[in-house]
Amino acid sequence: MLRGLIYGLSILHLGPGFAFAVVAFGCEDTFSFLQAVCQQDAFAAFIKLTLAAWGVMILALLLKIIVTNYINKNK
């Protein structure tokens, strides 16, 4: 139960943290790999990056759970 709470809070807080870092520091250069994101409204870019980060972290957590269950099942 506590592990699930920690995972949930981590995902909840790291998603917006990643999005803020990308919007705040990734859009400073004139030549940026994030040009499509940087040309949008800052709030819209923040929301899209937050949702993308949440999606990636949730998929990574599910993959970790599947692999862990598979390894433990073979013992």
Side-chain angles (χ1 to χ4, degrees):
M1 177 72 178
L2 182 60
R3 183 177 294 172
L5 180 65
I6 291 171
Y7 285 157
L9 288 174
S10 297
I11 290 172
L12 183 67
H13 286 84
L14 288 174
F18 172 77
F20 174 76
V22 170
V23 171
F25 303 114
C27 294
E28 290 179 351
D29 298 335
T30 56
F31 178 74
S32 174
F33 292 114
L34 304 169
Q35 201 66 352
V37 174
C38 295
Q39 291 181 0
Q40 297 177 4
D41 178 35
F43 187 70
F46 179 78
I47 294 297
K48 289 178 184 176
L49 287 169
T50 299
L51 292 175
W54 280 343
V56 168
M57 286 188 281
I58 289 171
L59 287 176
L61 179 61
L62 289 175
L63 181 65
K64 180 226 176 247
I65 291 170
I66 290 169
V67 169
T68 303
N69 286 340
Y70 178 76
I71 290 171
N72 290 336
K73 187 181 287 187
N74 290 334
K75 287 186 176 182

